[in-house]
Amino acid sequence: MKMAAAGFVAILAICLALAPSFSYAYDDAPLQDFCVAVPDASAAVFVNGKICKNPKQVTSDDFVGTGFNIPVDTNNSLGSAFKLVDVNVVPGLNTLGLSLLRVDFAPGGVIPPHTHPRATEAVVVIEGTIYAGFVTSNPADNTKNRLYAKILKPGDIFVFPIGLVHFLRNVGKTKAMGIVAFNSQNPGTITIANAVFGTEPLISPEVLTKSFQLDKKVIESLQSKF
Ligand SMILES: *[C@@H]1O[C@H](CO)[C@@H](O)[C@H](O)[C@H]1NC(C)=O
Protein backbone atom coordinates (compact mmCIF):
# COMPACT_ATOMS: atom_id res chain seq x y z
CA MET A 1 0.00 0.00 0.00
CA LYS A 2 2.76 2.36 1.01
CA MET A 3 4.67 1.46 -2.16
CA ALA A 4 1.58 2.08 -4.30
CA ALA A 5 1.03 5.48 -2.72
CA ALA A 6 4.68 6.41 -3.28
CA GLY A 7 4.38 5.25 -6.88
CA PHE A 8 1.27 7.38 -7.35
CA VAL A 9 3.01 10.44 -5.93
CA ALA A 10 5.97 9.83 -8.24
CA ILE A 11 3.70 9.56 -11.31
CA LEU A 12 1.81 12.70 -10.24
CA ALA A 13 5.13 14.56 -9.86
CA ILE A 14 6.24 13.45 -13.33
CA CYS A 15 2.90 14.51 -14.86
CA LEU A 16 3.13 17.93 -13.20
CA ALA A 17 6.71 18.33 -14.43
CA LEU A 18 5.65 17.47 -17.97
CA ALA A 19 2.45 19.53 -17.94
CA PRO A 20 4.01 22.74 -19.33
CA SER A 21 5.28 20.91 -22.41
CA PHE A 22 1.72 19.77 -23.16
CA SER A 23 0.30 23.29 -22.93
CA TYR A 24 2.86 24.92 -25.29
CA ALA A 25 1.61 23.87 -28.70
CA TYR A 26 3.79 26.29 -30.69
CA ASP A 27 7.38 26.25 -31.92
CA ASP A 28 8.69 23.15 -30.19
CA ALA A 29 12.35 22.74 -29.24
CA PRO A 30 14.43 22.36 -32.42
CA LEU A 31 16.00 18.97 -31.43
CA GLN A 32 19.02 19.69 -33.65
CA ASP A 33 21.40 22.62 -34.23
CA PHE A 34 19.23 23.91 -37.06
CA CYS A 35 16.67 22.84 -39.62
CA VAL A 36 17.04 25.20 -42.59
CA ALA A 37 13.74 25.37 -44.50
CA VAL A 38 13.67 24.01 -48.03
CA PRO A 39 12.98 27.09 -50.24
CA ASP A 40 10.03 25.49 -52.00
CA ALA A 41 6.46 26.49 -51.17
CA SER A 42 5.21 23.01 -52.03
CA ALA A 43 7.64 21.50 -49.50
CA ALA A 44 5.67 22.88 -46.54
CA VAL A 45 4.55 20.25 -44.05
CA PHE A 46 1.16 21.44 -42.92
CA VAL A 47 1.59 20.03 -39.44
CA ASN A 48 4.36 22.14 -37.93
CA GLY A 49 6.61 24.31 -40.06
CA LYS A 50 8.76 23.25 -42.98
CA ILE A 51 10.96 20.25 -43.68
CA CYS A 52 14.71 20.61 -43.23
CA LYS A 53 17.27 21.11 -45.96
CA ASN A 54 20.02 18.52 -46.07
CA PRO A 55 22.57 19.99 -43.58
CA LYS A 56 25.34 19.32 -46.13
CA GLN A 57 23.65 21.80 -48.51
CA VAL A 58 23.11 24.52 -45.89
CA THR A 59 25.05 27.76 -46.50
CA SER A 60 25.72 30.88 -44.42
CA ASP A 61 23.18 32.75 -46.55
CA ASP A 62 20.42 30.53 -45.13
CA PHE A 63 20.84 32.45 -41.86
CA VAL A 64 21.02 35.99 -43.30
CA GLY A 65 18.35 38.66 -43.66
CA THR A 66 19.01 42.13 -45.09
CA GLY A 67 17.44 45.56 -45.46
CA PHE A 68 16.52 46.48 -41.89
CA ASN A 69 18.50 49.71 -42.43
CA ILE A 70 16.11 50.78 -45.21
CA PRO A 71 12.90 52.64 -44.23
CA VAL A 72 9.71 51.00 -45.49
CA ASP A 73 7.42 53.26 -47.60
CA THR A 74 4.62 54.53 -45.35
CA ASN A 75 2.70 56.36 -48.07
CA ASN A 76 -0.59 54.46 -47.59
CA SER A 77 -3.93 54.97 -45.83
CA LEU A 78 -2.54 53.78 -42.46
CA GLY A 79 0.70 55.77 -42.59
CA SER A 80 2.65 52.70 -41.52
CA ALA A 81 4.49 49.81 -43.12
CA PHE A 82 6.71 46.96 -42.05
CA LYS A 83 9.28 44.51 -43.31
CA LEU A 84 8.87 41.07 -41.78
CA VAL A 85 11.75 38.61 -41.55
CA ASP A 86 10.23 35.23 -40.75
CA VAL A 87 10.99 31.67 -41.86
CA ASN A 88 9.73 32.51 -45.36
CA VAL A 89 12.46 35.13 -45.70
CA VAL A 90 15.29 33.59 -43.66
CA PRO A 91 14.91 29.80 -43.98
CA GLY A 92 17.43 29.26 -41.17
CA LEU A 93 14.76 30.46 -38.72
CA ASN A 94 12.86 27.20 -39.24
CA THR A 95 12.03 25.50 -35.88
CA LEU A 96 13.90 28.16 -33.89
CA GLY A 97 10.90 30.08 -32.56
CA LEU A 98 11.99 33.55 -33.67
CA SER A 99 11.12 36.20 -36.25
CA LEU A 100 11.71 39.95 -36.53
CA LEU A 101 10.30 42.97 -38.27
CA ARG A 102 11.08 46.60 -38.92
CA VAL A 103 8.09 48.94 -38.65
CA ASP A 104 8.00 52.53 -39.95
CA PHE A 105 5.43 55.22 -39.22
CA ALA A 106 4.63 58.55 -40.82
CA PRO A 107 3.43 61.16 -38.28
CA GLY A 108 0.01 59.93 -37.11
CA GLY A 109 0.61 56.53 -38.69
CA VAL A 110 -1.13 53.53 -37.14
CA ILE A 111 -0.70 49.78 -36.96
CA PRO A 112 -4.38 48.94 -36.39
CA PRO A 113 -5.64 46.55 -33.68
CA HIS A 114 -4.55 42.99 -34.46
CA THR A 115 -3.35 39.81 -32.80
CA HIS A 116 -0.63 37.24 -33.43
CA PRO A 117 -2.11 33.81 -32.73
CA ARG A 118 1.27 32.12 -32.31
CA ALA A 119 3.61 34.66 -30.71
CA THR A 120 4.38 37.07 -27.95
CA GLU A 121 5.84 40.28 -29.40
CA ALA A 122 8.30 42.83 -28.09
CA VAL A 123 8.85 46.19 -29.83
CA VAL A 124 11.97 48.29 -29.35
CA VAL A 125 11.43 51.93 -30.28
CA ILE A 126 14.44 53.22 -32.23
CA GLU A 127 13.12 56.58 -33.44
CA GLY A 128 10.15 58.84 -32.67
CA THR A 129 7.33 58.61 -30.14
CA ILE A 130 4.96 55.65 -30.27
CA TYR A 131 1.76 55.05 -28.31
CA ALA A 132 1.40 51.27 -27.92
CA GLY A 133 -1.12 49.15 -26.07
CA PHE A 134 -2.81 45.79 -25.71
CA VAL A 135 -6.14 44.61 -24.33
CA THR A 136 -6.72 41.62 -22.06
CA SER A 137 -9.06 38.79 -22.98
CA ASN A 138 -12.62 39.00 -21.57
CA PRO A 139 -12.47 38.94 -17.75
CA ALA A 140 -14.34 36.05 -16.10
CA ASP A 141 -16.32 38.44 -13.87
CA ASN A 142 -17.96 40.32 -16.77
CA THR A 143 -15.97 43.51 -16.10
CA LYS A 144 -14.49 45.37 -19.06
CA ASN A 145 -11.44 44.18 -20.98
CA ARG A 146 -8.48 46.11 -19.60
CA LEU A 147 -6.20 48.28 -21.74
CA TYR A 148 -2.49 48.42 -20.93
CA ALA A 149 -0.85 51.21 -22.92
CA LYS A 150 2.17 53.47 -22.81
CA ILE A 151 3.83 56.29 -24.75
CA LEU A 152 7.27 55.05 -25.75
CA LYS A 153 10.47 56.93 -26.57
CA PRO A 154 13.62 55.70 -28.33
CA GLY A 155 15.18 52.89 -26.32
CA ASP A 156 11.89 51.86 -24.72
CA ILE A 157 10.61 48.29 -25.10
CA PHE A 158 6.98 47.19 -24.85
CA VAL A 159 5.67 43.61 -24.70
CA PHE A 160 2.43 42.34 -26.26
CA PRO A 161 1.52 38.96 -24.70
CA ILE A 162 0.64 36.15 -27.11
CA GLY A 163 -2.80 36.28 -28.71
CA LEU A 164 -3.89 39.61 -27.23
CA VAL A 165 -5.27 42.46 -29.38
CA HIS A 166 -2.74 45.29 -29.67
CA PHE A 167 -1.96 48.43 -31.69
CA LEU A 168 0.66 51.15 -32.22
CA ARG A 169 0.46 54.78 -33.29
CA ASN A 170 3.08 57.40 -34.01
CA VAL A 171 2.06 60.27 -31.74
CA GLY A 172 5.11 62.40 -32.54
CA LYS A 173 5.52 65.13 -35.14
CA THR A 174 8.30 63.27 -36.97
CA LYS A 175 8.54 59.76 -38.42
CA ALA A 176 8.94 56.83 -36.06
CA MET A 177 10.57 53.42 -36.31
CA GLY A 178 10.77 50.28 -34.24
CA ILE A 179 12.26 46.80 -34.35
CA VAL A 180 9.99 43.94 -33.32
CA ALA A 181 10.78 40.41 -32.16
CA PHE A 182 8.33 37.46 -32.06
CA ASN A 183 8.88 34.12 -30.33
CA SER A 184 7.65 32.23 -33.38
CA GLN A 185 9.15 31.62 -36.80
CA ASN A 186 5.67 32.29 -38.19
CA PRO A 187 3.65 34.42 -35.73
CA GLY A 188 0.63 34.96 -38.01
CA THR A 189 -1.48 38.14 -37.92
CA ILE A 190 -5.22 38.70 -37.57
CA THR A 191 -6.12 42.35 -38.22
CA ILE A 192 -9.42 42.88 -36.45
CA ALA A 193 -11.05 45.21 -39.01
CA ASN A 194 -10.16 42.91 -41.92
CA ALA A 195 -11.17 39.76 -40.06
CA VAL A 196 -14.58 41.26 -39.22
CA PHE A 197 -15.44 43.59 -42.12
CA GLY A 198 -13.19 42.45 -44.96
CA THR A 199 -13.79 38.72 -45.30
CA GLU A 200 -14.40 36.79 -48.53
CA PRO A 201 -17.29 36.10 -48.63
CA LEU A 202 -18.59 38.84 -46.30
CA ILE A 203 -19.99 38.01 -42.87
CA SER A 204 -23.76 38.57 -43.05
CA PRO A 205 -24.58 42.21 -42.10
CA GLU A 206 -27.30 40.82 -39.80
CA VAL A 207 -24.56 39.27 -37.66
CA LEU A 208 -22.56 42.48 -37.58
CA THR A 209 -25.42 44.97 -37.00
CA LYS A 210 -26.45 43.14 -33.82
CA SER A 211 -22.89 42.36 -32.72
CA PHE A 212 -21.73 45.97 -33.00
CA GLN A 213 -25.12 47.63 -32.29
CA LEU A 214 -24.81 49.62 -35.52
CA ASP A 215 -27.08 50.53 -38.39
CA LYS A 216 -26.88 48.29 -41.47
CA LYS A 217 -25.67 51.28 -43.54
CA VAL A 218 -22.70 51.77 -41.22
CA ILE A 219 -21.84 48.06 -41.44
CA GLU A 220 -22.05 48.14 -45.24
CA SER A 221 -19.84 51.22 -45.32
CA LEU A 222 -17.28 49.44 -43.13
CA GLN A 223 -17.49 46.34 -45.31
CA SER A 224 -16.73 48.46 -48.40
CA LYS A 225 -13.52 49.77 -46.76
CA PHE A 226 -11.75 46.49 -45.91
C1 LIG B 1 1.78 58.81 -52.15
O1 LIG B 1 0.90 57.96 -52.89
C2 LIG B 1 0.02 58.67 -53.73
C3 LIG B 1 -0.97 57.69 -54.34
O2 LIG B 1 -0.39 56.43 -54.56
C4 LIG B 1 0.82 59.46 -54.79
O3 LIG B 1 -0.04 60.18 -55.63
C5 LIG B 1 1.79 60.41 -54.06
O4 LIG B 1 2.63 61.05 -54.99
C6 LIG B 1 2.64 59.64 -53.03
N1 LIG B 1 3.41 60.61 -52.24
C7 LIG B 1 4.71 60.47 -52.04
C8 LIG B 1 5.34 61.52 -51.18
O5 LIG B 1 5.37 59.55 -52.48
Side-chain angles (χ1 to χ4, degrees):
M1 187 62 197
K2 223 174 185 175
M3 283 291 285
F8 175 76
V9 170
I11 288 166
L12 188 66
I14 289 166
C15 289
L16 287 174
L18 289 177
S21 65
F22 295 138
S23 53
Y24 298 137
Y26 51 93
D27 287 11
D28 279 336
L31 305 179
Q32 64 272 309
D33 280 356
F34 51 76
C35 170
V36 172
V38 172
D40 173 0
S42 66
V45 175
F46 292 101
V47 180
N48 184 18
K50 297 171 185 287
I51 61 172
C52 313
K53 207 174 183 179
N54 182 341
K56 292 198 173 90
Q57 289 162 9
V58 167
T59 69
S60 303
D61 286 342
D62 286 327
F63 301 96
V64 175
T66 58
F68 264 29
N69 57 328
I70 300 166
V72 195
D73 182 8
T74 57
N75 184 13
N76 56 53
S77 58
L78 293 174
S80 74
F82 59 84
K83 178 188 171 74
L84 174 64
V85 171
D86 64 2
V87 68
N88 300 303
V89 179
V90 174
L93 284 171
N94 198 29
T95 75
L96 297 183
L98 177 75
S99 53
L100 299 165
L101 70 73
R102 173 190 171 122
V103 59
D104 288 272
F105 299 86
V110 162
I111 296 283
H114 65 283
T115 83
H116 303 290
R118 291 179 291 277
T120 288
E121 169 177 349
V123 60
V124 186
V125 176
I126 306 293
E127 183 185 351
T129 309
I130 294 174
Y131 172 65
F134 70 85
V135 179
T136 62
S137 50
N138 304 356
D141 60 2
N142 262 343
T143 54
K144 293 194 174 191
N145 304 55
R146 187 172 168 87
L147 168 68
Y148 293 93
K150 198 83 184 166
I151 291 176
L152 307 167
K153 300 279 189 194
D156 292 346
I157 299 165
F158 197 75
V159 173
F160 307 108
I162 182 167
L164 300 186
V165 173
H166 59 282
F167 57 83
L168 302 104
R169 179 171 190 267
N170 178 2
V171 291
K173 290 186 165 54
T174 56
K175 63 196 174 85
M177 190 273 272
I179 300 291
V180 169
F182 300 100
N183 66 337
S184 167
Q185 67 180 41
N186 187 21
T189 299
I190 302 167
T191 302
I192 306 304
N194 300 68
V196 174
F197 299 111
T199 57
E200 174 64 54
L202 289 173
I203 297 176
S204 154
E206 285 69 37
V207 173
L208 299 178
T209 49
K210 218 172 193 69
S211 300
F212 288 89
Q213 303 284 301
L214 288 172
D215 194 82
K216 192 166 177 213
K217 280 202 175 66
V218 180
I219 295 296
E220 283 168 353
S221 159
L222 285 164
Q223 287 181 323
S224 72
K225 289 193 169 76
F226 295 98

